[in-house]
Amino acid sequence: MEKYRRLKRSEDFRRVMSAGRGWSDHRLVIKKGAGGEACSRVGIVASKKVGGAVVRNLIRRRLKEIMRQLAICPGYDIVVIARQVARKASYEELAQSVHKLTGRAGLVIKDEKSGSLADKAVSK
């Protein structure tokens, strides 16, 4: 994910967490808030409850790649929070959760021709 598309400052994370709207399933929580930038920015959170550093970094890398491949509507700040169950999830299961939650949140740009989501679940 490009640097300009990342949430970095703790104030931005706090603003989205407190004022943003959220959607969740058993693996992930996605919160979105109004962003001040022309493009949407994404921040990934994996606490120590998820696992050790190796596990947390693996989950973060997977989520960054999944979010990078999505066609996200511009103008939002998005925080993706991994729950403890995410440590046992495969790449495909995480992708499925992200696609479901971003669809419910209205974050994904729809394809005008078919009316379906522009990006489908990617399997590796």
Side-chain angles (χ1 to χ4, degrees), residues 7-15:
L7 272 182
K8 297 177 216 157
R9 297 181 356 191
S10 60
E11 307 88 63
D12 294 334
F13 276 93
R14 271 191 241 116
R15 182 179 42 79

Coordinates of all heavy atoms in Angstrom, one line a residue, residues 7-15:
L7 N -3.0 5.5 7.1 CA -3.2 6.3 8.3 C -2.0 6.1 9.2 O -1.6 5.0 9.5 CB -4.4 5.8 9.1 CG -5.8 6.4 8.7 CD1 -6.9 5.8 9.6 CD2 -5.8 7.9 8.8
K8 N -1.4 7.2 9.7 CA -0.2 7.1 10.5 C -0.3 7.7 11.8 O 0.3 7.2 12.8 CB 1.0 7.7 9.7 CG 1.3 7.0 8.4 CD 2.5 7.7 7.7 CE 2.2 7.7 6.2 NZ 2.9 8.7 5.5
R9 N -0.9 8.9 11.9 CA -0.9 9.6 13.1 C -2.0 9.1 14.1 O -3.1 8.7 13.7 CB -1.2 11.1 12.8 CG -0.1 11.7 11.9 CD -0.3 13.2 11.6 NE -1.6 13.7 12.1 CZ -2.1 14.8 11.8 NH1 -1.5 15.6 10.9 NH2 -3.3 15.3 12.3
S10 N -1.6 9.1 15.4 CA -2.5 8.6 16.4 C -3.8 9.4 16.5 O -4.8 8.9 16.8 CB -1.8 8.5 17.7 OG -1.3 9.7 18.1
E11 N -3.7 10.7 16.2 CA -4.9 11.5 16.2 C -5.9 11.1 15.2 O -7.1 11.1 15.4 CB -4.6 13.0 15.9 CG -3.5 13.7 16.7 CD -2.2 13.5 16.2 OE1 -1.9 14.0 15.1 OE2 -1.3 12.9 16.9
D12 N -5.4 10.7 14.0 CA -6.3 10.2 13.0 C -7.0 8.9 13.4 O -8.2 8.7 13.2 CB -5.5 10.0 11.7 CG -5.0 11.3 11.1 OD1 -5.6 12.3 11.4 OD2 -4.0 11.2 10.3
F13 N -6.2 8.0 14.0 CA -6.8 6.7 14.5 C -7.8 7.0 15.5 O -8.9 6.4 15.5 CB -5.7 5.8 15.1 CG -5.0 5.0 14.0 CD1 -3.8 5.4 13.5 CD2 -5.4 3.7 13.7 CE1 -3.1 4.7 12.5 CE2 -4.8 3.0 12.7 CZ -3.6 3.4 12.2
R14 N -7.5 7.9 16.5 CA -8.5 8.2 17.6 C -9.7 8.8 17.0 O -10.9 8.5 17.5 CB -7.8 9.2 18.6 CG -7.1 8.4 19.7 CD -6.7 9.3 20.8 NE -5.3 9.3 20.9 CZ -4.4 10.3 20.6 NH1 -4.9 11.4 20.4 NH2 -3.1 10.1 20.7
R15 N -9.6 9.7 16.0 CA -10.8 10.4 15.5 C -11.7 9.4 14.8 O -12.9 9.4 15.0 CB -10.3 11.4 14.4 CG -11.5 12.2 13.8 CD -11.0 13.2 12.8 NE -9.9 12.8 11.9 CZ -10.0 12.0 10.9 NH1 -11.2 11.6 10.5 NH2 -9.0 11.7 10.1

